[in-house]
Amino acid sequence: MGSLRPLLASLFDSLPPPPVAEADIKKHVENALEQANKVKLPVEVKKSQWENLLRAEVFKLAYECVNWTWDQKTEGQALKDEHTTYYDDLQTRLDVALEFTTWVGGQLVLYASVNRCTDACEQSFIFLLLQDLLDTQTIASCSHIFSWLELRAPRLTAGMVPQKGKALVLLRALNDLLRRLSKMGSNAMFCGRILTFLSGVFALGERSGVNLRGEYGPIWEGVQTAFKKEEKVPEEDKTKDAAKQEDKMDVDEKPPAQEKPEDDFYNAVNRVLPVIKEHTTKERVMMGSRSGPNSLKRKREQSEGEEPISVGEYFFAKFLTSPDLLDLELKDTHFRRQFLFQLIILLNHLLTFTNAAKDAWQTPKNRSLSMEFTLEPANVPWVQETITKAMDELKQTAPNGRVFAETVSVIMEREKNWIKWKNDTCTPAFDKEPWSIEVDGQKVGLQEATKELREKLREPLPPWKHAYGSEDLTNVWEMGYRDLGDLESYSGPDDVKTYWRLIQKDNAAIEARKKQLTRAAEQRAKALADKVAKEKAAKAPAEEAKVDQDVKMASPEDAPPPPPPAPPVIPKVAFSADAQIQESEESKQRFSWLALRAVRDQHLALFSKIGTGDVELLIKGIEAPQKESGSASPVVRMDGEVKEKEKERESVQKVEEDTKMEV
């Protein structure tokens, strides 16, 4: 029989200084296990030895002892000096223990193939070690250990079943740690870390934290009140009082009926609520609130030294239970709020035990949650009325009473859902599976299902068809508008150049509209061509098979070349039938008539040389004498231009007539 102690000591001596990489720890652990296979011991004995030796190694470092050479690395020294390597050495030992625990998962095939040991430690060993270690360390050291636990969570929780095995050990260890922590002050963040870790490890619908048996907490026995001693009364006075009392009693009087325990509760609540309301009213009067009796009083101004009340903060006091201090506690808003809140919780709980409510949720499976008590129908209105009174009283408390009351309402509504889930024996589970869709008989997730769509979104966008952002802005720019001055209405004296600018804008509008109609016709032609191409593609397989058969029968030289693809046919557009173009043409005619009327008195001689009223030629004729002197008459030069304009106009009219005939 051998011992594994020298192997473990050699393992720790061979480790490099902390922090040690996971690969180095794994390598040294494998070497130690390889040498341990040479020791002839049963498998269970090896397991127990490894666990005992690892536990002793961890606690030897954790306990302070002046006789050991590493006494300067103990917890006490680490709390005083943060530069010590105590926590690093402790994490290294925990990493070694974790590697021994998870070794079977990484080296199962290698060692099992040669009939060697396939288990170094039990799977729950590391959690049992952590539980004992957390019990022996201070809160500050527990925070460091829990940081190591958070970093190693993927390895520690691999293959964990929530309701058995190592999961229960982990849950018990962290719950014990939570009981040691204060939920206020400096430990609040540590508590949040633990709860967040548990919520990530255990499912939201995990029943291990649910009181499935419906067990209630311990009964509060109250405070022992010391009553004052009664004054001594002479015996003669006692005898006289007793005689008077007997004379008042009726012989046939029945003894008073015995009250039920719930009747005492109802009476106590009816006595307490008015007292709470009285203190709330006094407080509001002192604060100058308009909701108090003296509603006409001005609100008391906040003193300079008084700090403003924060809405987001809430102080949870640890209330005293001495009867002598009850009057002082009743003056505290938080004390009254806590009492009303707990009263609302209790009354809502009573409403779940009416005959109708019990029939709705009671089943043989949740029989442990029921109790013998049943709320009588005569008391249901009182419970509902008391809940309303308590909620109204919460709204009257300061500060932010309405916000607090609304928060309580939301909490109670959520509590009803939790109670329903618990009464249904924690089913169904409200953990939703990830979104998935079936593709080719297989379920794929969101990442895979949207792969093609996301790749399409990454493709570069085609050039925008409108050069200036939108179709309207592009048309405005092409019509010649460049600044706000171009949009001004020319309502001054008649000027032929003004009318000419307006005619040019109409011409630009007509050209822009023609381009727009042409583009629309091209798009329709392209869509029609694509539709025809798709129809041909649907018939292509049969035709290709027929062509292949003909090609096989004929020689390659006789095979005809494939026909070239036909260009898309763009239909002619009837511009003259468009309403916008017609409107622009009418506007041109109107401005031309106004231009001719403006110069009829000064330049009437030029009217015979401008054809049917060409304003451009008219302007050139007006400006010609100013630009040229000593040359031929402007009338002679204008004859050729008039003829060219007339030819162009005749060609345009001919094209429009042909277009109308085709339409």
Side-chain angles (χ1 to χ4, degrees):
M1 300 293 287
S3 175
L4 303 177
R5 186 184 299 274
L7 298 178
L8 188 62
S10 175
L11 186 152
F12 282 108
D13 293 339
S14 60
L15 288 176
V20 186
E22 181 181 350
D24 295 339
I25 294 177
K26 185 176 182 180
K27 178 181 177 181
H28 288 82
V29 169
E30 288 179 357
N31 293 334
L33 292 172
E34 180 71 21
Q35 297 177 8
N37 290 324
K38 301 177 182 179
V39 180
K40 296 181 179 180
L41 288 174
V43 175
E44 297 300 328
V45 175
K46 285 186 178 181
K47 286 184 182 181
S48 60
Q49 280 200 22
W50 282 126
E51 292 178 1
N52 293 333
L53 291 173
L54 289 170
R55 185 187 299 271
E57 189 67 28
V58 170
F59 282 98
K60 184 171 65 175
L61 178 66
Y63 290 157
E64 182 177 3
C65 181
V66 295
N67 295 327
W68 292 342
T69 57
W70 48 79
D71 57 340
Q72 297 300 320
K73 299 179 181 179
T74 54
E75 182 188 10
Q77 185 67 23
L79 295 175
K80 300 176 183 177
D81 184 9
E82 59 182 10
H83 299 291
T84 57
T85 60
Y86 168 74
Y87 294 117
D88 294 334
D89 294 338
L90 185 60
Q91 290 184 3
T92 301
R93 281 157 174 75
L94 291 175
D95 284 333
V96 172
L98 177 60
E99 192 64 38
F100 271 90
T101 305
T102 58
W103 171 78
V104 62
Q107 300 294 334
L108 176 60
V109 178
L110 175 63
Y111 288 93
S113 60
V114 291
N115 296 324
R116 294 179 178 176
C117 173
T118 57
D119 241 344
C121 296
E122 296 292 340
Q123 295 294 312
S124 59
F125 164 69
I126 185 65
F127 296 102
L128 294 171
L129 178 61
L130 284 173
Q131 183 180 10
D132 296 339
L133 184 61
L134 290 172
D135 289 340
T136 60
Q137 299 290 295
T138 60
I139 299 299
S141 298
C142 289
S143 179
H144 288 277
I145 297 172
F146 186 75
S147 299
W148 175 87
L149 181 63
E150 291 176 322
L151 293 175
R152 305 296 187 269
R155 295 179 62 190
L156 288 168
T157 59
M160 178 181 290
V161 180
Q163 296 181 355
K164 60 181 180 180
K166 57 184 181 181
L168 298 179
V169 182
L170 175 62
L171 184 63
R172 184 168 58 249
L174 294 182
N175 283 336
D176 292 342
L177 180 58
L178 281 173
R179 294 189 188 96
R180 293 173 54 192
L181 299 177
S182 173
K183 296 179 176 58
M184 298 176 59
S186 59
N187 300 141
M189 188 174 295
F190 191 14
C191 293
R193 290 171 57 194
I194 297 174
L195 294 174
T196 304
F197 177 81
L198 289 174
S199 64
V201 173
F202 296 93
L204 189 60
E206 171 58 34
R207 301 191 300 171
S208 58
V210 181
N211 184 11
L212 295 177
R213 296 181 180 180
E215 297 177 354
Y216 295 92
I219 300 175
W220 185 59
E221 298 179 354
V223 181
Q224 301 296 332
T225 306
F227 296 99
K228 296 182 179 180
K229 295 182 179 180
E230 298 181 356
E231 298 179 357
K232 293 184 178 181
V233 182
E235 294 295 335
E236 297 178 357
D237 296 340
K238 287 184 179 181
T239 306
K240 293 179 181 179
D241 294 339
K244 292 179 180 179
Q245 188 68 21
E246 290 177 359
D247 293 340
K248 293 180 180 179
M249 292 181 61
D250 189 1
V251 179
D252 297 333
E253 184 181 0
K254 296 181 180 179
Q258 185 177 2
E259 295 183 354
K260 298 180 180 179
E262 54 266 25
D263 294 337
D264 295 338
F265 169 73
Y266 302 150
N267 296 331
V269 172
N270 291 332
R271 291 196 305 268
V272 171
L273 283 179
V275 177
I276 292 179
K277 184 175 183 180
E278 180 183 357
H279 283 78
T280 303
T281 305
K282 289 181 179 179
E283 183 181 30
R284 296 184 69 88
V285 170
M286 293 179 62
M287 295 179 63
S289 175
R290 292 185 178 273
S291 60
N294 302 325
S295 58
L296 298 179
K297 287 186 177 181
R298 185 176 55 187
K299 290 187 177 181
R300 182 182 60 182
E301 296 180 358
Q302 187 176 3
S303 60
E304 297 180 357
E306 185 178 356
E307 296 181 358
I309 299 174
S310 177
V311 178
E313 297 180 358
Y314 181 74
F315 176 71
F316 182 83
K318 294 184 177 179
F319 304 111
L320 303 176
T321 56
S322 174
D324 297 334
L325 301 176
L326 183 59
D327 291 337
L328 294 175
E329 290 184 342
L330 284 173
K331 294 179 181 179
D332 185 7
T333 303
H334 300 297
F335 177 81
R336 298 196 302 273
R337 279 181 173 178
Q338 289 298 327
F339 173 79
L340 293 172
F341 189 16
Q342 295 178 22
L343 178 62
I344 292 172
I345 294 174
L346 178 57
L347 294 177
N348 279 277
H349 179 67
L350 293 179
L351 288 178
T352 60
F353 285 93
T354 60
N355 290 325
K358 290 173 72 173
D359 294 340
W361 64 265
Q362 271 191 349
T363 60
K365 293 183 179 180
N366 59 9
R367 189 177 301 172
S368 60
L369 298 176
S370 62
M371 59 181 180
E372 297 179 357
F373 171 76
T374 301
L375 185 63
E376 299 296 335
N379 296 327
V380 173
W382 178 89
V383 174
Q384 295 174 346
E385 182 182 357
T386 307
I387 293 176
T388 305
K389 290 181 180 180
M391 292 298 297
D392 293 340
E393 196 61 32
L394 278 178
K395 294 178 182 179
Q396 299 299 323
T397 56
N400 308 312
R402 291 188 177 276
V403 177
F404 187 83
E406 292 174 0
T407 306
V408 171
S409 300
V410 173
I411 292 174
M412 297 310 302
E413 192 64 30
R414 291 175 58 89
E415 190 68 17
K416 290 179 182 178
N417 297 331
W418 280 108
I419 292 172
K420 184 179 181 300
W421 175 71
K422 181 178 176 181
N423 291 337
D424 295 339
T425 61
C426 304
T427 55
F430 42 81
D431 292 343
K432 292 185 178 180
E433 296 183 358
W435 184 90
S436 63
I437 190 173
E438 189 171 350
V439 178
D440 299 333
Q442 295 181 353
K443 285 187 176 182
V444 296
L446 181 64
Q447 190 76 8
E448 188 67 22
T450 58
K451 182 178 180 181
E452 296 181 359
L453 180 60
R454 286 183 284 105
E455 290 178 353
K456 187 176 180 180
L457 292 175
R458 295 191 187 99
E459 294 177 358
L461 296 175
W464 187 240
K465 56 184 178 180
H466 303 298
Y468 298 100
S470 66
E471 182 178 1
D472 295 334
L473 290 176
T474 304
N475 293 336
V476 168
W477 185 267
E478 291 177 353
M479 283 172 11
Y481 293 98
R482 295 296 183 269
D483 53 22
L484 295 177
D486 296 336
L487 300 175
E488 293 179 357
S489 176
Y490 297 95
S491 58
D494 291 342
D495 185 9
V496 66
K497 294 184 179 180
T498 300
Y499 294 123
W500 172 240
R501 284 195 294 268
L502 296 175
I503 292 172
Q504 286 180 331
K505 290 181 179 180
D506 287 334
N507 288 331
I510 292 172
E511 293 298 327
R513 181 59 179 171
K514 288 181 179 180
K515 291 180 181 179
Q516 183 180 3
L517 293 175
T518 304
R519 288 195 298 267
E522 292 176 354
Q523 292 176 359
R524 288 195 297 269
K526 185 179 179 181
L528 182 61
D530 294 341
K531 182 179 179 181
V532 174
K534 289 181 180 179
E535 293 178 355
K536 289 184 178 180
K539 300 177 181 179
E543 295 180 357
E544 289 179 358
K546 185 177 180 181
V547 170
D548 292 342
Q549 186 176 3
D550 296 340
V551 170
K552 289 180 181 178
M553 295 176 63
S555 60
E557 298 178 356
D558 299 336
V569 180
I570 301 175
K572 296 182 179 180
V573 183
F575 297 122
S576 59
D578 186 69
Q580 295 185 16
I581 294 178
Q582 291 178 0
E583 184 179 355
S584 298
E585 291 289 349
E586 293 175 359
S587 178
K588 282 175 56 179
Q589 294 177 7
R590 182 167 59 88
F591 290 134
S592 298
W593 180 81
L594 291 173
L596 294 175
R597 191 184 68 171
V599 297
R600 68 181 183 271
D601 296 332
Q602 293 86 1
H603 304 283
L604 184 61
L606 299 176
F607 279 25
S608 61
K609 305 299 181 181
I610 60 174
T612 59
D614 194 332
V615 180
E616 184 178 1
L617 292 176
L618 179 61
I619 293 175
K620 289 181 179 180
I622 295 172
E623 295 177 350
Q626 301 175 1
K627 294 182 179 179
E628 299 179 3
S629 59
S631 58
S633 174
V635 177
V636 177
R637 290 196 306 271
M638 290 177 62
D639 290 339
E641 297 178 358
V642 170
K643 292 179 181 179
E644 292 179 0
K645 290 288 184 180
E646 289 179 352
K647 289 181 180 179
E648 292 179 1
R649 190 177 294 107
E650 289 176 358
S651 62
V652 170
Q653 290 178 355
K654 187 177 181 180
V655 171
E656 291 181 352
E657 290 176 358
D658 296 341
T659 304
K660 288 182 180 179
M661 295 295 293
E662 291 178 359
V663 173

